[in-house]
Amino acid sequence: MSATEPSSTVRFGLFEADLAAGELRKRGRKIELQDQPFHVLALLLGRPQEVVTREELRQALWPADTFVEFDESLNKAVQKLRQALGDSADNPRFIETLPRKGYRFIAPVDAGAVQTVVPIRPHRLLLAGVASVLVLAGVVAVWLSQRSGKTAAEPPMPIPLTTDPGDEWNPSFSPDGNQVAFARYGDIHHGDIFLGQGDIYIKLIGASEPLRLTTDPANDYGPAWSPDGRSIAFLRDLTAERSGVFLMPAIGGGERKVAEVHRLDVWGPHLSWHPGGRWVVVSDKNSAGDPQALFLLSVETGEKRRLTLPPRDGTEDYNPAVSPDGRRVMFARCKAGLGDLYALELSDDLSPRGEPKRLTFENRYTAGPAWWPDGRSVVFISSASVHITSLWRMALRGFGGRPDKPERLAFAGEGAREAAVSRQGRLVYANLVIDADIWRMELKHGPSRTPTAGSNVKLISSTRLDHTPAYSQDGRRIAFASNRSGSHEIWVCSSDGSHAVQVSSFGGPYIADPRWSPDGEWIIFGGSHLIRSDGGPTERLTGDVQGWSRDGRWLYIISNRSGEPQIWKTPWPLTGNNRQPRQITKKGGGYFVRESLDGRFVYYLKGDLPSFALSSLWKVPVDGGEESRVIGAVYADNYAVADHGIYFIPNPQNAALHFLDLASGKVAKVASLDTYPAYGFSVSPDGRWLLYTQYAGQGSDLMLVENFR
């Protein structure tokens, strides 16, 4: 290197970044860092002490013709960069976040990137410093231009496979990859429950009209194409508790019932063929008291063989996917809406070989696996909530090896679920779009303690999902969750619905359920995130945080520190307190914890009912004591504690608002709802208004990705 040639190495703290090699080192030891986070570091180093805007980062790293979820990709890149540097977003030493603006590199940068034979005199220090920064910026620019030729291939571009009226679900490829079988619902569904009839269709890729195969009045769903391409297996609801596994020719007609199984209302896949063509794997149980497990089912004789035996604690096994070589079955093992992927190895006679091995450790809703044709990776869905899922891919390292960390397939966006992959490398998935609005109902209080309904207006709405509203304790503001900005964020508006402002910039997976602090200064959301109500950095909390006590001195959390999940309360503020955490429940904690207005009781939901999205409501004294059931069934999180009673929705079908008078124990209907209820319930502090959420519409189309790699 000549005396006038700039070095490609930039030093800061204990680190040095070699821009030519694209490497980060700490005290000479190489730190693993992916290309995209290193790109971000290089750009920030090129302009130390300056704000590099999010738009500037987007233009530099993701050209206009690149299809990517920019906010999530940038947030993820910065997070990985901070992990490599041992930095903190809350107390940064290197990278400072300016909410909704960009980032700034705040640590001193070694200007030794400039090598010169001219000695620097005191009056030239400023000029030398400016020159150093300019040369450093030039080095960064050259590095980025050199690296641009190494960018990844153009991201996949999904195209609609189905666009007809109705909802399309449960895709399954024919063996040649040219046709897709699926279920279509005409009168579709609302929320989490299908209300209309489903039938089985097939569609030739590239053709305009699908072919309808079934016309039975019962609900048909979950088609699975046989390995030889001649047959399609599917499920048909027979009763409220039983479904039939049927087999029919791939061209339709000649249906044959193979067996009956216990009905399970979950997202697919429902059936998976073994490549030998004689067996399918299905979720079933021998008796009503057994857990849902996986069984081999002979399509010739109807014989069943149990494969898995999940714990008897509400855990269920479903979504089977047999590997291309027939040696493994991957499936979802879930409990109370949370789950992970497991794999079971099969012997030559298809009997289980050992216990299932857990593959993911996300502690979220993870399900719907689909094998890559070579059996070395799997595509699946995952999210913090069953409602807004994303598509992920995970590489495997043989059955005994630990799988790679899952990576999100950003091109699929939010709402992707139920994926299928063909032997030829085509990907198809169902894309769910939900529109929900927040409504306000006037509550009138006459001589009777039971209120009556007054005016009813749509208060907060968009073409996307607006839900989980919460009044501030002074009643002047409303916090709610919405994905109207492209990702799920927390918003705050005035009590009349005006002046909505986005206060979080989470940019990640599904978040919701804002809870106000009594002084209105703070909002907890997603169970583990804390933010000021006027916006700013987000702080991560430990545990499943449910909200504040009425006096603001405690936070209610769900913790398993006693050996199983229970409700606790921990002092607030989190630091500087001599008070110790207190355990509130002993018979199993719940969720959606709310304290009564008089501060005497804690109310909470428990998922102890067999029906999905229905829970029972319980109460316990604020310092612990007798735990008692208050309401037998509450739909979703739709309950609110008022002065003299509790408002709730007991059932999503024929939905109506009910009121429980706590003094008399009597339940009365207050009003019928216009459409199907969604998630979110809040009563204003003066008891005059009720906020609730209704679905405005939703639908699902199948999306196709060609040459998915």
Side-chain angles (χ1 to χ4, degrees):
M1 183 176 64
S2 68
T4 58
E5 188 175 353
S7 168
S8 65
T9 300
V10 184
R11 297 177 179 84
F12 53 95
L14 301 176
F15 296 86
E16 60 182 26
D18 188 336
L19 301 181
E23 293 180 353
L24 176 67
R25 300 186 185 92
K26 181 179 182 181
R27 289 178 172 172
R29 182 175 60 86
K30 183 178 177 181
I31 305 297
E32 292 295 330
L33 189 62
Q34 296 176 343
D35 276 356
Q36 209 69 293
F38 196 90
H39 276 67
V40 175
L41 174 62
L43 286 167
L44 295 176
L45 288 174
R47 292 166 55 185
Q49 309 301 326
E50 294 182 23
V51 178
V52 181
T53 67
R54 296 177 71 87
E55 178 60 24
E56 288 172 327
L57 290 167
R58 186 195 66 77
Q59 293 177 359
L61 304 183
W62 290 278
D65 60 349
T66 301
F67 186 85
V68 67
E69 285 196 352
F70 162 69
D71 285 333
E72 178 181 353
S73 298
L74 177 58
N75 292 340
K76 187 175 182 180
V78 173
Q79 182 183 21
K80 289 184 176 180
L81 177 56
R82 281 187 170 129
Q83 290 174 348
L85 298 176
D87 203 12
S88 167
D90 299 322
N91 297 291
R93 294 182 297 126
F94 299 109
I95 301 171
E96 179 187 16
T97 300
L98 287 84
R100 298 185 290 276
K101 293 182 181 179
Y103 302 92
R104 175 164 49 205
F105 198 89
I106 59 176
V109 175
D110 185 1
V114 179
Q115 302 291 333
T116 178
V117 296
V118 181
I120 300 175
R121 294 181 172 86
H123 68 278
R124 300 185 62 184
L125 285 177
L126 177 61
L127 178 60
V130 173
S132 299
V133 172
L134 291 176
V135 173
L136 175 57
V139 171
V140 171
V142 171
W143 177 81
L144 286 173
S145 65
Q146 292 173 343
R147 304 287 289 183
S148 62
K150 300 182 182 180
T151 56
E154 183 177 349
M157 181 64 71
I159 60 174
L161 178 66
T162 61
T163 57
D164 299 303
D167 275 12
E168 289 83 27
W169 298 96
N170 314 146
S172 174
F173 275 105
S174 59
D176 62 9
N178 293 323
Q179 298 182 83
V180 177
F182 59 92
R184 170 179 289 171
Y185 292 84
D187 193 18
I188 63 171
H189 61 94
H190 295 283
D192 306 304
I193 299 177
F194 290 102
L195 299 179
Q197 170 190 324
D199 285 301
I200 307 302
Y201 288 73
I202 59 173
K203 182 170 183 177
L204 178 68
I205 295 176
S208 58
E209 292 295 327
L211 174 65
R212 182 175 179 178
L213 298 186
T214 66
T215 59
D216 194 276
N219 187 38
D220 297 336
Y221 58 101
W225 222 302
S226 65
D228 62 9
R230 298 179 180 179
S231 304
I232 294 177
F234 66 96
L235 289 166
R236 172 174 291 160
D237 287 342
L238 304 177
T239 67
E241 292 79 27
R242 304 291 291 173
S243 297
V245 179
F246 285 77
L247 199 66
M248 67 178 173
I251 59 174
E255 302 171 358
R256 175 173 65 88
K257 187 172 78 171
V258 177
E260 292 188 12
V261 296
H262 183 83
R263 181 179 173 184
L264 182 64
D265 289 325
V266 298
W267 304 103
H270 301 276
L271 302 167
S272 182
W273 285 83
H274 186 272
R278 298 178 55 193
W279 301 86
V280 295
V281 180
V282 63
S283 184
D284 192 16
K285 54 186 177 181
N286 289 328
S287 64
D290 287 345
Q292 201 79 20
L294 296 187
F295 288 78
L296 274 171
L297 172 64
S298 170
V299 296
E300 298 172 352
T301 66
E303 174 193 358
K304 294 179 187 177
R305 300 181 187 175
R306 181 189 289 274
L307 292 177
T308 66
L309 187 60
R312 290 178 172 270
D313 59 356
T315 300
E316 296 179 323
D317 292 347
Y318 50 81
N319 288 175
V322 182
S323 62
D325 62 4
R327 303 303 297 269
R328 286 176 286 176
V329 179
M330 192 170 294
F331 61 95
R333 174 164 285 181
C334 297
K335 177 183 178 182
L338 299 177
D340 280 290
L341 297 185
Y342 285 70
L344 176 68
E345 190 173 11
L346 300 178
S347 61
D348 291 339
D349 63 356
L350 303 188
S351 60
R353 178 176 291 174
E355 293 297 318
K357 178 183 177 181
R358 186 175 178 180
L359 300 180
T360 63
F361 299 83
E362 304 299 315
N363 192 31
R364 47 198 270 145
Y365 178 75
T366 302
W371 287 92
W372 188 248
D374 61 7
R376 296 180 180 177
S377 63
V378 63
V379 177
F380 60 96
I381 61 171
S382 184
S383 175
S385 167
V386 66
H387 308 101
I388 305 296
T389 56
S390 302
L391 206 58
W392 297 70
R393 184 173 179 177
M394 179 174 62
L396 306 174
R397 299 177 181 271
F399 188 79
R402 185 177 180 86
D404 288 349
K405 184 177 181 180
E407 293 188 357
R408 187 181 182 209
L409 302 178
F411 64 81
E414 285 189 337
R417 60 176 74 224
E418 297 193 345
V421 182
S422 75
R423 299 175 184 174
Q424 297 74 25
R426 281 172 162 162
L427 169 72
V428 65
Y429 61 92
N431 184 56
L432 175 65
V433 178
I434 302 176
D435 180 9
D437 300 320
I438 297 171
W439 289 69
R440 186 180 69 182
M441 178 185 296
E442 185 179 11
L443 301 173
K444 295 184 176 181
H445 302 269
S448 170
R449 292 172 61 95
T450 300
T452 57
S455 61
N456 189 28
V457 298
K458 185 189 298 185
L459 192 69
I460 302 170
S461 67
S462 67
T463 59
R464 304 296 294 275
L465 185 61
D466 302 296
H467 62 150
T468 62
Y471 274 110
S472 60
Q473 195 154 305
D474 61 7
R476 299 174 60 184
R477 291 179 292 171
I478 299 169
F480 63 99
S482 176
N483 62 350
R484 61 176 69 185
S485 64
S487 63
H488 256 85
E489 304 292 350
I490 301 301
W491 292 67
V492 171
C493 66
S494 301
S495 60
D496 62 358
S498 63
H499 305 101
V501 177
Q502 179 181 330
V503 297
S504 75
S505 297
F506 198 67
Y510 177 94
I511 57 168
D513 303 319
R515 317 285 173 86
W516 290 89
S517 63
D519 59 10
E521 293 291 327
W522 299 92
I523 294 175
I524 286 173
F525 62 95
S528 59
H529 302 281
L530 177 71
I531 193 172
R532 287 195 173 274
S533 59
D534 57 356
T538 300
E539 180 179 346
R540 187 69 181 262
L541 302 177
T542 301
D544 186 356
V545 185
Q546 298 290 302
W548 281 268
S549 61
R550 291 283 173 178
D551 60 12
R553 300 178 67 240
W554 302 91
L555 282 177
Y556 289 105
I557 65 171
I558 308 298
S559 173
N560 61 358
R561 66 182 70 184
S562 63
E564 59 180 346
Q566 302 287 356
I567 298 176
W568 289 68
K569 62 181 184 181
T570 190
W572 173 265
L574 298 176
T575 59
N577 284 289
N578 296 323
R579 289 170 286 141
Q580 297 297 314
R582 300 179 184 177
Q583 183 174 345
I584 306 302
T585 62
K586 296 182 178 180
K587 297 180 180 179
Y591 46 93
F592 293 112
V593 178
R594 301 288 189 271
E595 190 176 280
S596 61
L597 271 63
D598 59 12
R600 296 175 55 200
F601 294 98
V602 174
Y603 290 88
Y604 56 99
L605 295 175
K606 292 180 69 171
D608 52 1
L609 300 181
S611 299
F612 179 69
L614 290 181
S615 308
S616 59
L617 180 67
W618 291 65
K619 75 172 183 178
V620 64
V622 293
D623 290 319
E626 182 182 357
E627 302 163 38
S628 57
R629 186 192 296 258
V630 180
I631 298 175
V634 174
Y635 172 63
D637 62 344
N638 293 312
Y639 87 92
V641 181
D643 191 13
H644 300 295
I646 297 174
Y647 295 93
F648 68 102
I649 298 177
N651 195 306
Q653 295 174 309
N654 301 317
L657 173 66
H658 288 69
F659 180 79
L660 167 65
D661 187 325
L662 292 175
S664 65
K666 295 181 178 180
V667 174
K669 178 179 175 182
V670 178
S672 297
L673 301 185
D674 299 326
T675 62
Y676 201 87
Y679 286 69
F681 227 55
S682 184
V683 173
S684 61
D686 60 6
R688 182 182 176 187
W689 306 104
L690 170 72
L691 298 177
Y692 63 99
T693 308
Q694 292 186 140
Y695 289 106
Q698 63 182 49
S700 173
D701 291 324
L702 298 183
M703 305 297 293
L704 174 69
V705 178
E706 295 278 10
N707 300 316
F708 177 56
R709 295 289 182 265

